[in-house]
Amino acid sequence: MYAYVNVPTTEWAGLVNASSHGSYHYDSIRLEYPYVEITNFHDRLPEGPAPDSEDVPDDIPA
């Protein structure tokens, strides 16, 4: 499970209103916004930017 940071509200609205949430996420969010892995069952995915440390929410487990 991943928590994406700095995703604009317009992008969130697009995801919520998409006919396919998975396709929208893959095409519009996955590689465009930094994320923090919440679950650690495997290695971090190599694609996509990593968030700056000050952008990581305080309530995300390490």
Side-chain angles (χ1 to χ4, degrees):
M1 184 180 305
Y2 301 89
Y4 287 82
V5 295
N6 297 328
V7 178
T9 55
T10 53
E11 211 55 92
W12 173 252
L15 176 65
V16 170
N17 294 313
S19 60
S20 171
H21 300 129
S23 292
Y24 188 92
H25 171 265
Y26 186 85
D27 293 336
S28 302
I29 296 174
R30 184 172 146 279
L31 298 178
E32 298 298 321
Y33 299 97
Y35 61 88
V36 176
E37 185 172 0
I38 296 172
T39 56
N40 193 11
F41 299 124
H42 51 79
D43 292 333
R44 179 180 168 87
L45 297 176
E47 310 93 5
D52 292 331
S53 59
E54 64 269 4
D55 290 337
V56 177
D58 294 332
D59 58 346
I60 301 295

